[in-house]
Amino acid sequence: MMRSSALWFKLILKILLGIVSTVVLFCILLFPITWPLLLMWLTACSTTTERMSISGYDIRIDETLCKTLAANYDVQVFISKRGDRNQALLFRYDPASAGHPSFLPSIRFSDPHMLLISVDEISSISFRRYKWEKLSIEYDIRSITYPNPHEVQELE
């Protein structure tokens, strides 16, 4: 009787050891392959780009939505002289709601040397430039939900 329970114990121990070693081997060999796939599945980004030409300048507005464990929205406004590939960042902010047209900026010249960027409601600002080459940039933002004390402002 004692011998049969010892055999059962050894058999169960061998089965458990086999299961554990299989799982460990799977993690060592296949985890490096599956980890990037898991990250790609958990991190999905999409960018929508709008381009316009105003008074000899090319303006590009990028709206990026990244979904990881939480959603991250980002809107960036770039400027360049018409036809020039070297673009400068003017404005980067987190919109209050991505995909809604009123949260994208409207851009126009208020006079020949003053570019006006207007947006209704935003969550926070991470960067804004007030001067680029001979242009002054003015902002008309109706509401900022979370003002950022670490916002980068480039005055010149």
Side-chain angles (χ1 to χ4, degrees):
M1 187 74 165
M2 188 77 147
R3 234 174 164 186
S4 111
S5 64
L7 288 174
W8 277 107
F9 178 74
K10 285 183 179 181
L11 181 64
I12 291 173
L13 190 61
K14 284 182 181 181
I15 290 172
L16 287 175
L17 185 61
I19 291 171
V20 168
S21 63
T22 303
V23 169
V24 167
L25 189 63
F26 173 79
C27 288
I28 291 171
L29 294 178
L30 291 180
F31 190 70
I33 296 169
T34 58
W35 180 247
L37 296 174
L38 182 64
L39 277 179
M40 283 177 25
W41 180 71
L42 290 175
T43 307
C45 291
S46 65
T47 300
T48 305
T49 300
E50 183 179 322
R51 298 177 193 275
M52 63 184 80
S53 289
I54 305 172
S55 300
Y57 296 96
D58 290 334
I59 308 287
R60 187 181 94 208
I61 302 171
D62 289 346
E63 180 183 17
T64 304
L65 167 62
C66 288
K67 291 185 177 179
T68 53
L69 297 176
N72 181 27
Y73 304 115
D74 188 45
V75 175
Q76 299 179 74
V77 178
F78 297 91
I79 190 168
S80 65
K81 290 185 178 177
R82 183 169 287 150
D84 190 0
R85 291 180 172 236
N86 193 12
Q87 298 182 334
L89 176 65
L90 292 182
F91 189 37
R92 182 185 315 125
Y93 66 93
D94 181 4
S97 175
H100 194 282
S102 70
F103 298 111
L104 290 178
S106 66
I107 300 169
R108 66 180 178 84
F109 276 91
S110 58
D111 70 47
H113 298 287
M114 178 72 71
L115 186 68
L116 177 64
I117 299 176
S118 303
V119 65
D120 288 339
E121 181 182 359
I122 62 176
S123 180
S124 65
I125 298 171
S126 54
F127 178 84
R128 85 176 115 175
R129 184 184 308 256
Y130 287 95
K131 193 150 185 68
W132 180 75
E133 293 194 359
K134 295 179 181 178
L135 287 179
S136 294
I137 295 110
E138 188 176 85
Y139 297 90
D140 177 21
I141 302 167
R142 306 216 194 295
S143 172
I144 301 173
T145 309
Y146 304 104
N148 183 356
H150 305 292
E151 171 191 338
V152 176
Q153 295 186 4
E154 192 166 305
L155 303 175
E156 295 281 329

